[in-house]
Amino acid sequence: MTFTVRVNERACDAEPRPGQCLRTYLRERGWFGVKKGCDAGDCGACTVHVDGEPVHSCLYPAVRARGRSVTTVEGLAGEDGGLHPVQQDFLDAQGFQCGFCTAGFLMTTVALEGDLDDLPRALKGNICRCTGYRAIEDAVRGVRHTEDPGAGRAVGASPGAPAGRAIVTGTARYTFDVDVPGLLHMKLLRSPHPHARIVAIDTRAARTVPGVHAVLTHEDAPDTLYSTARHEDPTDDPADTRVLDDTVRYVGQRVAAVVADSEQAAEEACRRIDVTYERLPHVTDPEEAMRPGAPVIHAGKGPEARIARVDDNVAGEVHAETGSVEDGFAEADVVHEGTYRTQRVQHASLETHGSVAWFEEEGGAERLTVRTSTQTPFLTRRALCALFGLPEDGVRVVTGRVGGGFGGKQEMLTEDIVVLAALKLRRPVKLEYTRAEQFHGATTRHPFTVRVKVGARADGTLTALQMRVVSDTGAYGNHGPAVLLHSVKEPFALYRAPHNKVDGWAVYTNSVPSGAFRGYGLGQVTFAVESAMDETARLLGMDPLDFREKNLIGPGDRLTGPTGEDEDLHIGSYGLGQCLSVVRGAVADDRSGADVPEGWLTGQGAAVSMIATGLPCGHHADARVRLLADGTYDLAVGTTELGNGTTTVHGQIAAAALGTTVDRIGVRQSDTDVVRHDTGVFGSTGTVVAGKAVLLAAESLAGRIADFAARHTGAARDRCVLAADAVDCAGRLVSLCALYEAARAEGAQDELAGEGHWDGSPRSVAFNAQWFRVAVDPDTGETRILRSVHAADAGRVLNPPQCRGQIEGAVAQALGATLFEAVRLDGRGEVTTAAFRRYRLPHFADVPRTEVHFAETTDAIGPLGAKSMSEGPFNPVAPAFANALRDATGIRFTETPMTRDRVWLAVARQGAVGYAVDRSEDGHR
């Protein structure tokens, strides 16, 4: 029987491969709006309509589509190019951030046909990792948040994202939404052992599989040691990794790579590789790993690896003291001491890691292009060139739109092995992680164990703060020392304790590597410190907010801690007092507990946090803006767009400086051919570093246009003022198009361009406060969030809906880590939660609508008074929830996630024996 299917009203008679799912069938035919997110029908990113019914196309056999009509997101728009009403609603509400899940939500929403009575049930098959769902709900209900662009009001307005139309029509291009002729596919063989030496690898049977082009092992890879972590200074991280190693250190480490005509052939070849291992002792507990006699995970590595103490499995450590904590605790009237633990968390960005590498002819020579899902294209190019001995001008790294990052893509996890294969074969090569590989072969948040000791006088004055911190960096030290150091800085500096001390270790274990994650260690330590502050206030009989307010830093204070003072870190604006006032107002006017079922316990709690708006070791960005012949502007900047909204904000900044509207600013980005250098979008720098470079470039161009206009018209320079599409030269309007033509006639059009550079210093700090009221059913352990309020000091808010969306998304992600998300390992360190249905992500029904309030401040350092707000909101969520739970139940929960079963067991045990179960490790006086 002939196979025919109609896709978006076009007939297709290509026969599907045996076992092929509808998703891959559609994507192979160019319908890239159908996304690959989970491989198992869990995320909904691949949702399409089959004869009008929504289905998860990754589970739907392509052969079942015979004779049917399939509609993808690309088929929703009318033939005239007009948007479907639901597409327009998502565009008007900006119901997306990275946009990778948006097509799936659109297809689900269209199928609702206006039946919006039970959205939690209707949207249960779709996951968004970015937005926190409020913007999606507003889109589904037709609430508009965007504004039409207007001259002179770019900053503080709400223009839509430049890529918005492409996102809602499915035409935005992510990493793998491209056709590369002659593409080969890579699959990886991964280690089944937590620690072993590879004695032999027999690849003969693998090479006989039809379609296999290469089987790569450690014998084909360079011996160079490097770090997968990406920082401006590569010496920030231990160089303990090889592309392919003859020693494996965790279950899931790559052992060999197969390149073939198809993924199926590559997978079959992987199964035929015969590896002989010599098993070695392993250790999965960081405390045990530091003890004498523990297996040495990186034995034999010398100083070039930059490992703090190889024989003790310590990747990095910090030991510092200000004053004397011994004296500080002697002065205290009360002392709280407790141990707090946070778990591994997966970034769970819906677009998995992956790269494509190929060679192109340019000027008679071959040039390597790498297209990759990364937060750091320039640093990745630098690392690839160093690793393979390539010239930087011979390598181009380009990033399409990125489907979420959250720090997980501040790594080089696929580019190195793909380039190794491309160099060997001189053919295009692709590697795209499956969802299971994201869990086994990418990185997680660092698990932390923090012992906190707090001393205070009877009047509530802090006397001492001490911490012992142990983080589990896993099998490799990427980001380990840096996360450890960062984690203890701001939590100390936030409070005025005259005596403070920290001892910390980032420890190797035979488990999946940890890495950069939203907050970069602050979330883990803030959970401990803010919980301990709450408990200390209770010992004193003080209101926890009053206790904090008495001891928090003020606007004129220096930012110091046991590790000293960062000379370039300043309080550029101080909105923490306003944030606390918001929380106090929420407490005073709260009526959310009125309808709580009888017998349920209620409580409220808050927490605060501070984060530096940038990195202490330098973060660089270059930008270039030029006037085009049609009177619009071209902005080139290296920053990657991954749903953080930098593209929108950079356009607003440029428009403000040039006196024009945001729709007249075209943005090119995340391409090493675009500008000189950009460190990358991480460390909360997209607005405050790259944005500063954009501002400087736009201001430079504005001055140059005014100079040329004055010369061209004879008007006084100070009488030449830029407008939306012209220059007012002493009352005479000269269009930008005419000015460009005049400059071109003189051969001076290159003068109508401006460049800007910013090195990330000095830096400011941003503040956040979170408050919850919760209700707990003591009979089941069910916890409901009755109200969620977040106050943020973001400086001058450049785009309120977008900034609010960043906060809502951070709160939602933090709630996942607080309530149920956990990467679980067995005794061998193998991940046992390697699918979304086993790793619990927040769904629409799980996330409350958080009330977001902005402090009214203008930062003295950030561009146009703005501060960063991508990571900070994550950090106070877990302790605020724990403090509310403590208030409701009388139990101090010291470990995340605070799952329903843990809550029930703790409440039941307290009722049985009359004391808080988690107090066993706490000491009070």
Side-chain angles (χ1 to χ4, degrees):
M1 184 186 298
T2 302
F3 181 90
T4 302
V5 60
R6 293 192 67 79
V7 181
N8 298 328
E9 301 303 322
R10 300 181 193 176
C12 179
D13 57 7
E15 194 79 23
R17 297 190 303 274
Q20 186 174 30
C21 70
L22 183 57
R23 181 194 65 200
T24 57
Y25 181 86
L26 293 169
R27 286 186 58 81
E28 286 176 2
R29 279 142 194 87
W31 302 109
F32 293 128
V34 185
K35 299 303 183 199
K36 173 184 176 181
C38 68
D39 309 310
D42 294 328
C43 75
C46 67
T47 303
V48 301
H49 292 176
V50 178
D51 289 342
E53 292 296 320
V55 302
H56 288 176
S57 60
C58 68
L59 297 181
Y60 194 95
V63 69
R64 284 185 56 192
R66 176 185 281 114
R68 298 179 182 273
S69 175
V70 175
T71 304
T72 73
V73 68
E74 293 97 330
L76 291 181
E79 294 182 1
D80 60 354
L83 297 181
H84 186 284
V86 173
Q87 289 175 310
Q88 188 64 54
D89 287 341
F90 269 74
L91 191 60
D92 290 343
Q94 293 291 280
F96 51 83
Q97 284 182 22
C98 82
F100 200 80
C101 69
T102 304
F105 273 98
L106 281 164
M107 301 308 291
T108 299
T109 303
V110 168
L112 296 179
E113 297 181 340
D115 183 6
L116 311 181
D117 291 339
D118 192 356
L119 288 184
R121 176 177 291 276
L123 300 179
K124 68 179 181 179
N126 294 82
I127 292 174
C128 177
R129 189 55 158 168
C130 297
T131 65
Y133 295 105
R134 187 273 313 162
I136 291 173
E137 180 178 7
D138 286 354
V140 172
R141 297 191 183 280
V143 179
R144 179 172 183 174
H145 295 297
T146 58
E147 298 175 332
D148 294 328
R153 49 187 299 271
V155 172
S158 306
R165 187 179 181 88
I167 289 170
V168 301
T169 58
T171 56
R173 290 295 174 249
Y174 296 79
T175 306
F176 297 110
D177 297 343
V178 291
D179 288 313
V180 181
L183 184 66
L184 301 178
H185 300 268
M186 176 182 286
K187 284 294 181 180
L188 300 173
L189 177 68
R190 296 184 178 275
S191 169
H193 304 298
H195 198 192
R197 185 174 295 109
I198 297 173
V199 176
I201 302 182
D202 187 345
T203 63
R204 289 173 294 180
R207 296 177 191 275
T208 65
V209 175
V212 169
H213 290 259
V215 181
L216 304 175
T217 71
H218 63 269
E219 295 178 351
D220 302 291
D223 289 332
T224 307
L225 287 170
Y226 64 101
S227 173
T228 64
R230 301 269 58 85
H231 282 113
E232 181 65 34
D233 183 353
T235 65
D236 284 350
D237 309 290
D240 55 11
T241 304
R242 291 190 173 95
V243 177
L244 291 167
D245 207 328
D246 59 358
T247 299
V248 293
R249 297 175 175 87
Y250 68 98
V251 176
Q253 181 170 332
R254 59 194 188 194
V255 171
V258 175
V259 184
D261 289 330
S262 67
E263 291 186 353
Q264 293 83 356
E267 287 173 347
E268 176 59 28
C270 283
R271 286 190 284 268
R272 297 190 187 187
I273 298 173
D274 184 15
V275 184
T276 303
Y277 295 97
E278 176 193 349
R279 298 190 190 185
L280 301 172
H282 68 276
V283 59
T284 58
D285 181 87
E287 294 285 0
E288 291 181 11
M290 289 192 289
R291 291 174 185 149
V296 179
I297 296 173
H298 287 276
K301 288 184 177 167
E304 75 281 2
R306 300 189 296 274
I307 297 171
R309 287 190 280 126
V310 172
D311 292 342
D312 297 321
N313 292 319
V314 175
E317 56 189 331
V318 57
H319 305 282
E321 184 172 11
T322 296
S324 167
V325 291
E326 184 178 352
D327 292 344
F329 290 120
E331 298 169 7
D333 295 307
V334 299
V335 174
H336 164 74
E337 188 168 8
T339 300
Y340 300 85
R341 295 181 175 88
T342 55
Q343 80 283 23
R344 283 180 180 83
V345 176
Q346 237 288 329
H347 305 81
S349 51
L350 289 193
E351 182 189 42
T352 60
H353 283 80
S355 307
V356 188
W358 68 91
F359 285 92
E360 293 179 313
E361 289 286 336
E362 187 173 297
E366 280 191 324
R367 190 161 182 251
L368 178 66
T369 295
V370 182
R371 182 178 174 91
T372 180
S373 184
T374 182
Q375 297 173 229
T376 59
F378 288 82
L379 299 187
T380 298
R381 179 182 65 173
R382 179 188 293 172
L384 291 171
C385 291
L387 187 56
F388 296 106
L390 303 171
E392 285 200 3
D393 60 0
V395 178
R396 177 191 182 195
V397 175
V398 60
T399 300
R401 192 171 180 90
V402 174
F406 316 112
K409 293 174 181 175
Q410 193 191 338
E411 304 272 357
M412 187 171 71
L413 298 180
T414 60
E415 298 90 343
D416 52 352
I417 191 73
V418 167
V419 167
L420 176 67
L423 289 170
K424 181 178 179 66
L425 298 171
R426 318 302 288 190
R427 290 278 303 275
V429 178
K430 166 191 172 184
L431 172 60
E432 182 178 9
Y433 275 10
T434 64
R435 180 54 57 187
E437 284 182 300
Q438 282 294 111
F439 283 96
H440 289 295
T443 60
T444 73
R445 182 176 78 159
H446 286 77
F448 267 59
T449 300
V450 184
R451 183 95 180 158
V452 182
K453 190 174 182 181
V454 181
R457 294 191 179 93
D459 66 355
T461 304
L462 282 175
T463 61
L465 177 58
Q466 182 177 5
M467 282 193 285
R468 181 187 187 273
V469 181
V470 177
S471 76
D472 184 347
T473 196
Y476 291 91
N478 44 305
H479 294 284
V483 165
L484 174 67
L485 183 61
H486 183 245
S487 73
V488 299
K489 283 197 169 184
E490 283 95 315
F492 269 115
L494 184 58
Y495 287 98
R496 293 188 298 252
H499 307 282
N500 44 55
K501 181 180 181 180
V502 62
D503 291 288
W505 299 267
V507 185
Y508 289 113
T509 60
N510 292 114
S511 53
V512 59
S514 305
F517 187 96
R518 198 173 202 164
Y520 212 67
L522 290 182
Q524 297 94 307
V525 174
T526 298
F527 170 64
V529 171
E530 287 299 293
S531 296
M533 290 297 174
D534 209 71
E535 205 63 29
T536 305
R538 292 178 181 277
L539 287 175
L540 290 165
M542 289 184 67
D543 177 271
L545 284 178
D546 291 341
F547 177 66
R548 285 181 174 84
E549 199 162 34
K550 185 177 183 69
N551 292 286
L552 288 167
I553 58 170
D557 290 348
R558 296 167 58 194
L559 298 170
T560 61
T563 59
E565 179 181 5
D566 289 321
E567 293 184 359
D568 74 330
L569 189 62
H570 310 279
I571 301 175
S573 69
Y574 187 85
L576 184 53
Q578 294 181 51
C579 292
L580 289 175
S581 295
V582 167
V583 171
R584 291 187 186 280
V587 174
D589 68 9
D590 184 59
R591 301 292 183 271
S592 60
D595 298 324
V596 172
E598 185 178 353
W600 284 49
L601 310 173
T602 63
Q604 57 89 19
V608 297
S609 66
M610 177 178 74
I611 187 170
T613 60
L615 290 83
C617 52
H619 199 107
H620 299 263
D622 290 283
R624 187 170 190 267
V625 189
R626 60 192 178 99
L627 180 66
L628 301 179
D630 63 357
T632 63
Y633 297 93
D634 172 74
L635 166 61
V637 62
T639 301
T640 301
E641 175 60 67
L642 41 81
N644 49 355
T646 54
T647 313
T648 313
V649 166
H650 291 167
Q652 289 179 264
I653 292 172
L658 292 163
T660 190
T661 56
V662 292
D663 58 332
R664 301 183 67 83
I665 307 289
V667 184
R668 292 183 297 132
Q669 60 194 160
S670 57
D671 184 338
T672 57
D673 278 3
V674 166
V675 290
R676 290 193 301 272
H677 182 73
D678 188 284
T679 298
V681 56
F682 62 89
S684 304
T685 56
T687 295
V688 297
V689 177
K692 191 90 166 187
V694 168
L695 178 62
L696 293 172
E699 288 176 338
S700 172
L701 174 57
R704 288 175 170 233
I705 291 174
D707 288 343
F708 183 81
R711 190 168 75 243
H712 176 66
T713 63
R717 169 64 173 77
D718 61 356
R719 298 289 304 280
C720 294
V721 180
L722 272 68
D725 58 357
V727 179
D728 183 341
C729 300
R732 173 190 169 191
L733 279 181
V734 182
S735 73
L736 294 174
C737 295
L739 282 177
Y740 183 91
E741 283 303 311
R744 187 183 62 80
E746 296 180 16
Q749 66 267 33
D750 288 345
E751 291 183 19
L752 301 182
E755 295 190 348
H757 171 82
W758 188 248
D759 64 4
S761 181
R763 300 173 295 142
S764 186
V765 289
F767 300 99
N768 296 86
Q770 174 69 44
W771 178 82
F772 289 113
R773 179 170 289 281
V774 303
V776 182
D777 182 358
D779 294 328
T780 65
E782 179 184 350
T783 303
R784 295 181 188 172
I785 297 174
L786 304 177
R787 193 175 174 197
S788 171
V789 176
H790 193 99
D793 174 17
R796 188 180 183 190
V797 179
L798 303 183
N799 187 314
Q802 182 173 282
C803 192
R804 181 177 65 173
Q806 285 289 291
I807 292 170
E808 291 167 338
V811 171
Q813 190 175 39
L815 279 173
T818 300
L819 297 176
F820 36 74
E821 289 187 50
V823 176
R824 303 193 184 278
L825 312 180
D826 63 15
R828 302 166 59 252
E830 182 174 3
V831 176
T832 62
T833 50
F836 280 163
R837 64 186 55 192
R838 302 191 69 184
Y839 179 84
R840 175 88 155 79
L841 283 174
H843 286 65
F844 183 93
D846 299 312
V847 180
R849 284 179 74 97
T850 294
E851 304 164 35
V852 176
H853 302 263
F854 294 113
E856 296 183 2
T857 67
T858 300
D859 195 68
I861 298 172
L864 304 177
K867 294 196 280 196
S868 57
M869 199 45 58
S870 56
E871 295 182 273
F874 183 100
N875 301 321
V877 170
F881 185 88
N883 292 338
L885 205 54
R886 166 70 165 87
D887 191 48
T889 65
I891 300 170
R892 172 54 63 188
F893 287 85
T894 59
E895 184 174 353
T896 58
M898 288 166 267
T899 57
R900 179 172 176 170
D901 57 337
R902 284 181 174 173
V903 172
W904 178 79
L905 285 169
V907 172
R909 185 172 179 183
Q910 177 178 249
V913 299
Y915 68 93
V917 62
D918 283 357
R919 289 272 180 83
S920 57
E921 292 183 311
D922 295 351
H924 300 301
R925 114 167 157 236

